[in-house]
Amino acid sequence: DIVMTQSPDSLAVSLGERATVNCKSSQSVLYSTDNRNYLAWYQQKAGQPPKLLIYWASTRESGVPDRFSGSGSGTDFTLTISSLQAEDVAIYYCQQYFGTPLTFGQGTKVEVK
Amino acid sequence: QLQLQESGPGLVKPSETLSLTCTVSGGSISSNNYYWGWIRQPPGKGLEWIGSIYYSGSTYYSPSLKSRVIISIDTAKNQFSLKVTSVTAADTAVYYCARLVLTGDRGRGFCDYWGRGTLLTVSS
């Protein structure tokens, strides 16, 4: 199984400041045939299902604010919230779809400082 | 707008079989661009992929659950279902159904639509 490890487990950021969440995979999720990273990011607010934010490591889902961005390649990835808003308080998960079983990171809780 | 809705009993006794159904509305389940999957989340914990199914009926399961899980699909009703046998307290979780954008074989994809989830408690 590909193990996804996120860091930190939680972080507190002031409103308007940058929040950075890291995700590391135990093996590369870059597929050489299409040069794509098989990695997605989700946001889960309290009591709600996860919501897709980013796929192919850096492609923003339709309707997702542009303050959310994804970067990285191979085994190391980052989700950045450029200017934290109150509505961004949530747990963020990365997920790899390079291999089965599909696996998720343990989650990073983002709060307002 | 695509919507997914889970339905099920809420409470199951240990050693019994858990059965859940996901009803899809606002779109057809018979698309060659998607898988349909089940993901669960124990209270206060992270997300676990259970398995995926293609509209043709091809299924793909997590190895950790494969011996106890059956996923089926009914294209006429636009529904797919999950059965987990011999449940224990460790199967207590919120169960989500989701649409997975097909990105490869063996049920691989990312989830672009999710149901609201249903809490399944295993207790006597």
Side-chain angles (χ1 to χ4, degrees), chain A residues 35-100:
Chain A
N35 201 37
R36 284 179 161 182
N37 287 284
Y38 283 52
L39 183 111
W41 287 98
Y42 301 88
Q43 175 194 64
Q44 187 177 32
K45 296 182 180 180
Q48 296 184 19
K51 173 188 173 184
L52 177 67
L53 295 177
I54 304 281
Y55 54 95
W56 301 126
S58 61
T59 301
R60 201 178 302 114
E61 172 72 331
S62 176
V64 173
D66 61 7
R67 63 180 179 272
F68 291 92
S69 63
S71 62
S73 184
T75 61
D76 293 281
F77 300 91
T78 300
L79 173 71
T80 301
I81 309 172
S82 61
S83 175
L84 189 76
Q85 304 300 303
E87 61 265 32
D88 301 334
V89 168
I91 300 175
Y92 293 83
Y93 295 93
C94 59
Q95 178 229 330
Q96 66 80 21
Y97 45 98
F98 182 88
T100 52

Side-chain angles (χ1 to χ4, degrees), chain B residues 9-122:
Chain B
L11 179 67
V12 177
K13 291 182 169 56
S15 80
E16 293 188 342
T17 296
L18 167 172
S19 296
L20 297 173
T21 295
C22 182
T23 300
V24 179
S25 58
S28 174
I29 206 170
S30 299
S31 168
N32 58 6
N33 295 318
Y34 304 105
Y35 294 111
W36 303 91
W38 289 96
I39 296 100
R40 70 181 183 178
Q41 185 172 38
K45 296 189 177 180
L47 300 161
E48 179 184 23
W49 175 72
I50 299 171
S52 304
I53 190 165
Y54 195 52
Y55 78 96
S56 64
S58 296
T59 51
Y60 312 91
Y61 299 128
S62 173
S64 66
L65 293 165
K66 186 174 183 177
S67 64
R68 298 193 296 125
V69 169
I70 298 173
I71 298 176
S72 59
I73 194 164
D74 186 334
T75 54
K77 293 183 178 179
N78 234 32
Q79 294 178 333
F80 61 106
S81 298
L82 170 71
K83 290 188 190 300
V84 181
T85 62
S86 305
V87 298
T88 69
D91 295 308
T92 293
V94 174
Y95 285 75
Y96 295 102
C97 60
R99 187 178 82 170
L100 288 82
V101 175
L102 191 156
T103 62
D105 58 5
R106 295 177 289 135
R108 294 179 296 141
F110 55 87
C111 305
D112 64 345
Y113 282 92
W114 297 69
R116 294 189 62 82
T118 186
L119 175 62
L120 198 294
T121 301
V122 179

